[in-house]
Amino acid sequence: MPEVRFTIRWPDGTEESCYSPSTAITRHLEAGCTYPLTEFVERARTGLNEASDRVAAKFGFACSSALDQLAKIETTAAAQPADAKVTCLSMS
């Protein structure tokens, strides 16, 4: 299953390298796009859960790395202003 690394920029300018265990995330986030914070979190949640489910279907267990990545995104997002925007810089 091909993994995807995606880089995001938080509202404070901090860049973060993120991990998805499958290409499922590419259906939910696009490089070069900026999303309102709540939309970004929802797209990341949907994409990373879908990626984890694909791992579970193939190997019989969820992907803890995808779920850890989602938890990190949710935690960081909770500390951001409600009207903030997040940019997906790249996907590879």
Side-chain angles (χ1 to χ4, degrees):
M1 193 164 293
E3 67 181 36
V4 174
R5 301 265 177 197
F6 57 104
T7 303
I8 59 173
R9 181 182 304 128
W10 290 104
D12 66 1
T14 303
E15 293 183 10
E16 181 177 346
S17 177
C18 302
Y19 170 81
S20 173
S22 86
T23 58
I25 193 70
T26 63
R27 289 192 288 281
H28 303 282
L29 295 174
E30 184 178 338
C33 287
T34 299
Y35 303 95
L37 180 66
T38 55
E39 180 182 346
F40 170 76
V41 172
E42 185 56 36
R43 286 172 172 268
R45 182 181 297 123
T46 301
L48 290 168
N49 281 325
E50 185 179 321
S52 181
D53 290 347
R54 289 181 72 188
V55 170
K58 185 169 184 174
F59 299 107
F61 52 87
C63 179
S64 61
S65 294
L67 301 177
D68 289 346
Q69 181 65 72
L70 175 57
K72 186 166 180 359
I73 287 171
E74 290 174 335
T75 298
T76 303
Q80 304 299 318
D83 62 346
K85 296 185 185 282
V86 179
T87 302
C88 180
L89 299 172
S90 65
M91 300 192 95
S92 58

